[in-house]
Amino acid sequence: MPKVVVEFYGTARHVTGQKEVPLELKEGSTFRDVVKTLAARYPALIGDVIKPSGDELQMPNMFNVNARRVVQDLDTQPEDGDRILLMFVTAGG
Amino acid sequence: MPVSTSKYRYVANDPTKCVGCQFCEYICSYTKTGEFNTYRSRIRTVRAEEILITSVTCRTCEDAPCVIACPRDALSQDPETGIIRVDANRCDGCAWCIEACDFGAISINPETKLAEICDQCEDLEDGPQCVKWCPKEALFLTTPDQRAQRARHKLVKEEVIGR
Amino acid sequence: MYGYSGKVLHVDLTNRKVRVERKPEEWYRIYIGGVAMATRLCWENIEVGCDPLSPGNPICIANGVFAGTPVPVGGKYGIASKSPLTGFIGDSLSGSWFTIALKRAGWDALVIHGASDDWVYLFIDDDRVEFRDASHLVGLGAYQTEEAIREELNDDQVRSAVIGPAGEKLVRMASVTNDSRQAGRTGHGAVWGSKKLKAVSVRGTQGVRVADPQELLQLCYDITQAAQGPHTQKYRILGTPANVLNLNRLGLLPTRNYQEGVFEKAELISGEYLHEHYHVKTIACAQCPIACEQMSRAKDGPYAGAMTGIDYEPLYAVSSNCGVGDLQAAIKTIDICDRGGMDAMSTGVTISWAMETFERGIFTKEDFKCSKYPDGFEPYFGNADAVVTLAEMIRDREGIGDLLAEGVKRASAQVDAEKGTETWKWAMHIKGLECPGYDARGLKTFALGLAVGTRGACHNRSAAYDPDIKGEVDRFSVDETRGELAKSTEEYAAVYDTLPLCKFIRRCFTGKADRAGAWPAIAKLINATTGWDFDYDAVDLIGVRAHAIKKAFNIREGWTRADDHLPWRWMHEPMTEGASAGHVVTEEELEYMKDLYYKAKGWTKEGLIPKEQLIELGMEDVAEEIGV
């Protein structure tokens, strides 16, 4: 059972009031499953952060794994111990 | 600030939502003149200080002072809607109506020299274009009565359940 | 012509004369507006090789094609002069009413030549120009000046672009302010100050006509509605300060003069904290349906009452970058910069250099004597009061503020010349323009974009952080794709800067911000406004041309390959903490990427532009002068 932590930034944190949430995933879970889990647990994310379908991130939000790489394909799998940053592309100002 | 005691509807602005984008002025001037020119808008945004932003247009006062003030009887008020109408044959642009208006809602067209006032786009099916366009939904058609109701609801919500 | 008047107004401050220049439609199709048109006018009107603070450096202001129409975020202008910080093209943008008034007064652009003997301001009243005495405005802050002129001319529809005390005193990082917005970077305020020009005020009463208003309105309505959705959520809700925590987590938040990329007090300066404690109102520029400016007020303590709009870039510069984890002090410092009329980014980065120089023992307490602290003070990192005080001293050129007002490149050179030190090694600038709020050691494509940037270290002209942060490439390494990426992102940004449209709208056309998502929609807006027949390729060409004229300007002013550099620190000192620790951009990596970039641009190895390329872009006269 892989354990991961999802860190919330920006709008995700603003609408949920959470900084991070630990998740225990079933064996073989994908990043898409992470999106689904979050959508079920935090309905406030649906709209600005997660698409109404509940299984995809709303642009420009993205998953960054361990501040090192960005998830390009939601159907790949996180690894045990990953810290998944839910953030959006920074620009401007 | 002066208040209207009218039973009629008018376009009101919620200053907590207004961001000062001026789209209302663009769409009003285009609807009325075919050009984009905020100088010719019948609704005007006002920015006082840096964070106090709203827009103002005709409040459709009952026994409207502008109508009373007009020395040539060029202004009249629709008894059903309260909308002020300007008779182009009578108006000579003397601007007494402007002086009478507590809301600064009347202007004189620099070319035609006629008074211009918000008519709530009464000839258009989808109503006031500024309301339709306002990106922040800050503009709405309302009466003083309805505003009072809204205020009471808002107050109760804030007091009782802390927004 | 629709969307344009076809007229450029020339004002000569030396002889107090005015002249009208008519430009052919073909010229507009090439230079469009904004930074490209302003730069082109600078190219045409400057005395080549002049001192930026001499009368030979013109002030060139160009409206956008969409100013005065309901096209969302189209109310912006470009301003160009030779920059007193870089000696190369200084091109900036600012939004809101001023440009709309200028357009409605019947002018596409304004070129101000020469210099006045006495303080003056211009009043452009539709087609009439007045030179008005400005001696009574000298010393007034930027916002006060705007208000004083409105009162003097007795019309609240008069819109002004002004300078504050910093511009009057030729502070090299001084900005030009209009409607509480700034053309912030590259020191335009100092150019105005050198001409004794306090303000340009405009009353424009004419309407703007477009080719197909019904079509344009429908397009605008849809974009306006889309601009209320998720595509702009980060701008509307928390504004750009939302970047603080993201960048901190990625190890990219400049901290203590770029020594590190993580700040232990990041939470305290975050957009979230700002929103909860100090936010008072979100406001918009004129003609903008997004509204991103987070007006914020310091509510208690020594800075109570200070209020201004807080954006990420000024924020990082005066807070984490100076080691200060106090938002109220940051609001105060940015308030001083905004009212004083100077760029808070360059101000913050210059202050952080002074702080490090103090901590290293090269500056001492005595160097910081001023009227407020006659015995001096100790500007160690984290000393919030020192940051506030130094911002005031720079604005007034008081004490050491006189040195710092020269910008970090000149200040460090002067200190090193006097003391034999190497403070230039932590002077964070490129071409003389202070660095932005992304540490480029952990964003290598962006490092290239910054190094080759025509106006120096600027995050707005190069959007090359995008592929790095989105993870389209590995942000810590270098490969053969980076030249093309730097080219592609800077030309993409140049399209927005030339129309100009605020880049915050870029996802609202179709949901996708890339060229395929945005260019066809932008072409429709251009066509409905002007009656032209632009398509995808024509829109793309706007950015290519804009960048070409800026580069050409620099070449004529003496640019060489060596000017495309990075700060020493980014090339030699890795950070020790956070997600981007351990990386630098090496000399070899930088030179390799520059080669790739020049090749992608179709330039020579020395970075010069072939004649044929300029001729193909419709710039024969430019080809003649600087093409190879």
Side-chain angles (χ1 to χ4, degrees):
Chain A
M1 297 268 275
K3 286 184 191 168
V4 300
V5 175
V6 182
E7 299 180 19
F8 288 166
Y9 291 91
T11 311
R13 183 190 290 198
H14 185 68
V15 300
T16 61
Q18 297 289 318
K19 287 185 181 176
E20 57 179 52
V21 48
L23 294 180
E24 270 193 45
L25 302 171
K26 283 184 203 148
E27 224 41 76
S29 291
T30 64
F31 287 101
R32 194 179 302 284
D33 295 318
V34 176
V35 177
K36 287 181 192 167
T37 310
L38 293 175
R41 198 176 298 183
Y42 301 104
L45 291 173
I46 295 174
D48 277 347
V49 182
I50 295 175
K51 286 189 178 172
S53 60
D55 62 355
E56 239 179 298
L57 291 177
Q58 186 72 260
M59 284 282 285
N61 294 278
M62 62 186 183
F63 281 148
N64 182 310
V65 183
N66 302 322
R68 190 72 181 81
R69 68 179 184 91
V70 178
V71 175
Q72 303 290 335
D73 177 2
L74 283 179
D75 294 317
T76 55
Q77 296 177 6
E79 288 175 20
D80 187 49
D82 273 350
R83 295 192 73 89
I84 304 171
L85 323 181
L86 175 50
M87 54 172 52
F88 38 66
V89 179
T90 49
Chain B
M1 191 167 172
V3 286
S4 164
T5 53
S6 174
K7 63 188 177 190
Y8 302 120
R9 295 198 306 176
Y10 63 94
V11 176
N13 183 316
D14 178 349
T16 63
K17 290 184 178 170
C18 180
V19 295
C21 69
Q22 289 185 300
F23 272 59
C24 51
E25 297 185 359
Y26 279 105
I27 198 66
C28 178
S29 61
Y30 175 73
T31 306
K32 294 300 177 192
T33 72
E35 291 184 344
F36 301 110
N37 185 351
T38 56
Y39 253 87
R40 298 286 307 280
S41 173
R42 299 176 186 196
I43 182 167
R44 295 291 180 95
T45 53
V46 181
R47 238 183 235 228
E49 312 289 310
E50 285 145 54
I51 53 168
L52 185 60
I53 308 171
T54 188
S55 56
V56 182
T57 188
C58 176
R59 295 282 183 110
T60 57
C61 311
E62 275 186 86
D63 302 322
C66 55
V67 175
I68 296 166
C70 180
R72 296 172 63 91
D73 292 332
L75 270 56
S76 60
Q77 186 164 33
D78 187 307
E80 293 297 314
T81 62
I83 290 170
I84 310 291
R85 299 217 173 78
V86 181
D87 182 342
N89 294 319
R90 288 172 175 266
C91 175
D92 66 352
C94 74
W96 279 37
C97 52
I98 293 181
E99 287 189 39
C101 178
D102 280 341
F103 300 97
I106 308 177
S107 50
I108 301 291
N109 181 324
E111 279 153 33
T112 63
K113 305 291 180 206
L114 296 177
E116 290 180 338
I117 309 174
C118 168
D119 63 3
Q120 300 177 16
C121 299
E122 58 176 341
D123 51 337
L124 296 177
E125 229 170 75
D126 48 357
Q129 297 298 295
C130 55
V131 174
K132 178 184 163 192
W133 269 76
C134 178
K136 302 301 178 191
E137 296 176 358
L139 295 177
F140 52 104
L141 262 178
T142 188
T143 66
D145 245 7
Q146 288 167 351
R147 288 206 90 174
Q149 283 181 23
R150 268 168 80 116
R152 287 194 289 272
H153 274 273
K154 190 165 171 260
L155 175 81
V156 168
K157 273 191 194 161
E158 278 170 6
E159 297 266 301
V160 181
I161 51 176
R163 80 212 293 197
Chain C
M1 262 194 303
Y2 286 101
Y4 296 103
S5 68
K7 290 187 297 185
V8 176
L9 176 63
H10 289 263
V11 176
D12 177 353
L13 291 177
T14 308
N15 302 304
R16 305 222 161 174
K17 289 213 164 106
V18 169
R19 146 176 92 83
V20 178
E21 182 187 16
R22 288 179 189 278
K23 292 285 193 187
E25 186 164 343
E26 189 51 32
W27 189 83
Y28 286 93
R29 283 177 179 260
I30 293 176
Y31 298 106
I32 308 288
V35 299
M37 187 184 287
T39 302
R40 171 69 203 194
L41 287 167
C42 205
W43 167 276
E44 292 177 8
N45 291 286
I46 196 171
E47 283 173 22
V48 178
C50 72
D51 180 328
L53 299 181
S54 72
N57 189 15
I59 298 165
C60 307
I61 292 174
N63 294 327
V65 58
F66 302 130
T69 74
V71 172
V73 304
K76 286 175 95 78
Y77 66 91
I79 177 169
S81 294
K82 184 172 175 179
S83 163
L85 282 171
T86 68
F88 295 123
I89 189 69
D91 55 304
S92 294
L93 289 159
S94 176
S96 230
W97 292 283
F98 172 75
T99 182
I100 297 166
L102 190 61
K103 177 102 150 214
R104 283 212 311 253
W107 306 107
D108 295 325
L110 168 64
V111 182
I112 301 171
H113 307 255
S116 175
D117 289 331
D118 306 303
W119 282 100
V120 68
Y121 82 91
L122 294 180
F123 178 37
I124 301 171
D125 192 5
D126 282 333
D127 51 6
R128 200 172 57 88
V129 180
E130 243 182 89
F131 297 82
R132 295 180 67 101
D133 171 40
S135 52
H136 58 299
L137 301 172
V138 170
L140 287 188
Y143 304 171
Q144 282 174 297
T145 305
E146 286 186 51
E147 211 43 60
I149 291 173
R150 257 194 289 277
E151 263 171 41
E152 182 171 313
L153 299 174
N154 202 16
D155 186 344
D156 75 350
Q157 301 262 341
V158 169
R159 297 297 171 179
S160 304
V162 310
I163 59 170
E168 293 167 17
K169 294 207 161 65
L170 310 186
V171 172
R172 282 184 193 263
M173 58 200 71
S175 55
V176 168
T177 302
N178 64 284
D179 310 302
S180 314
R181 301 291 307 174
Q182 287 83 24
R185 304 223 73 193
T186 68
H188 294 285
V191 176
W192 289 41
S194 74
K195 299 183 182 312
K196 287 200 159 59
L197 177 68
K198 179 70 175 167
V200 176
S201 302
V202 189
R203 173 161 54 201
T205 67
Q206 302 156 48
V208 172
R209 283 167 205 258
V210 301
D212 187 346
Q214 282 306 327
E215 159 88 356
L216 188 69
L217 277 177
Q218 190 56 52
L219 295 167
C220 294
Y221 186 79
D222 294 343
I223 299 166
T224 300
Q225 293 302 310
Q228 311 310 313
H231 307 311
T232 59
Q233 40 122 336
K234 62 168 281 197
Y235 305 120
R236 285 182 291 109
I237 299 173
L238 296 175
T240 54
N243 284 353
V244 169
L245 291 181
N246 297 348
L247 292 177
N248 189 58
R249 187 66 177 84
L250 297 176
L252 301 170
L253 178 69
T255 300
R256 297 184 180 85
N257 197 34
Y258 298 79
Q259 295 186 70
E260 294 294 344
V262 281
F263 183 44
E264 66 283 0
K265 294 180 181 164
E267 287 280 349
L268 294 177
I269 57 163
S270 65
E272 289 80 350
Y273 199 88
L274 180 76
H275 192 83
E276 198 180 330
H277 296 278
Y278 308 114
H279 176 258
V280 282
K281 168 105 182 153
T282 305
I283 63 173
C285 291
Q287 211 178 314
C288 169
I290 300 173
C292 72
E293 185 152 42
Q294 309 297 319
M295 295 302 291
S296 307
R297 185 191 280 133
K299 55 186 181 190
D300 47 32
Y303 313 121
M307 182 180 77
T308 191
I310 300 294
D311 268 309
Y312 169 69
E313 295 287 340
L315 174 59
Y316 97 87
V318 305
S319 59
S320 61
N321 185 50
C322 295
V324 172
D326 174 355
L327 268 173
Q328 306 207 75
I331 292 169
K332 177 66 181 178
T333 312
I334 296 168
D335 187 60
I336 290 166
C337 292
D338 286 351
R339 286 170 211 274
M342 56 189 190
D343 173 17
M345 291 172 67
S346 286
T347 302
V349 175
T350 305
I351 290 173
S352 67
W353 168 83
M355 293 175 122
E356 183 166 349
T357 305
F358 168 79
E359 291 208 341
R360 287 169 179 261
I362 297 166
F363 285 151
T364 61
K365 186 178 174 186
E366 283 69 45
D367 289 317
F368 294 89
K369 285 182 183 164
C370 59
S371 55
K372 198 160 137 192
Y373 298 106
D375 300 329
F377 58 94
E378 299 189 324
Y380 49 83
F381 283 117
N383 182 346
D385 183 59
V387 178
V388 169
T389 306
L390 282 169
E392 290 167 344
M393 290 169 72
I394 292 173
R395 177 194 64 199
D396 301 335
R397 277 192 180 266
E398 184 194 356
I400 199 169
D402 192 36
L403 171 76
L404 302 180
E406 293 294 298
V408 78
K409 177 183 166 185
R410 285 175 179 77
S412 61
Q414 197 176 317
V415 167
D416 293 343
E418 282 166 14
K419 304 182 192 253
T421 49
E422 291 189 318
T423 68
W424 63 274
K425 287 186 171 175
W426 56 91
M428 299 302 293
H429 72 89
I430 296 172
K431 297 186 178 72
L433 185 69
E434 288 73 12
C435 290
Y438 306 76
D439 199 298
R441 282 167 288 195
L443 298 168
K444 291 205 171 164
T445 321
F446 190 42
L448 171 61
L450 289 178
V452 300
T454 51
R455 78 166 184 175
C458 174
H459 65 292
N460 271 325
R461 299 293 180 266
S462 168
Y465 48 77
D466 217 39
D468 284 330
I469 290 184
K470 275 189 190 155
E472 289 162 8
V473 293
D474 175 22
R475 65 187 177 95
F476 298 111
S477 64
V478 157
D479 60 42
E480 73 287 350
T481 63
R482 307 308 167 93
E484 183 59 41
L485 280 173
K487 169 187 190 287
S488 163
T489 50
E490 80 183 1
E491 289 170 0
Y492 175 88
V495 171
Y496 287 88
D497 296 339
T498 295
L499 292 165
L501 286 174
C502 172
K503 297 181 191 89
F504 292 0
I505 202 77
R506 66 194 181 283
R507 280 195 183 81
C508 303
F509 302 115
T510 61
K512 287 214 183 331
D514 59 5
R515 285 172 161 82
W519 284 186
I522 287 175
K524 278 189 195 166
L525 289 172
I526 293 172
N527 296 341
T529 302
T530 61
W532 293 343
D533 50 357
F534 271 47
D535 56 11
Y536 178 102
D537 291 334
V539 174
D540 209 44
L541 206 48
I542 293 172
V544 178
R545 283 169 163 156
H547 199 263
I549 189 68
K550 290 200 287 181
K551 176 73 179 186
F553 181 97
N554 284 359
I555 291 172
R556 198 172 63 173
E557 295 293 336
W559 174 92
T560 67
R561 185 178 163 125
D563 289 305
D564 287 355
H565 67 88
L566 288 172
W568 186 89
R569 168 158 284 163
W570 279 351
M571 300 181 69
H572 297 92
E573 291 184 350
M575 293 180 281
T576 63
E577 298 170 44
S580 299
H583 296 275
V584 293
V585 183
T586 66
E587 185 84 40
E588 296 70 42
E589 284 177 328
L590 178 62
E591 294 305 318
Y592 169 63
M593 289 197 292
K594 277 161 66 177
D595 284 341
L596 291 171
Y597 168 79
Y598 297 154
K599 196 172 162 216
K601 295 290 282 192
W603 298 344
T604 68
K605 191 167 168 63
E606 290 313 306
L608 300 176
I609 315 177
K611 269 201 169 78
E612 315 83 73
Q613 192 183 105
L614 289 162
I615 292 168
E616 228 171 88
L617 293 174
M619 304 180 186
E620 286 81 0
D621 58 334
V622 179
E624 201 54 47
E625 281 200 62
I626 59 100
V628 291

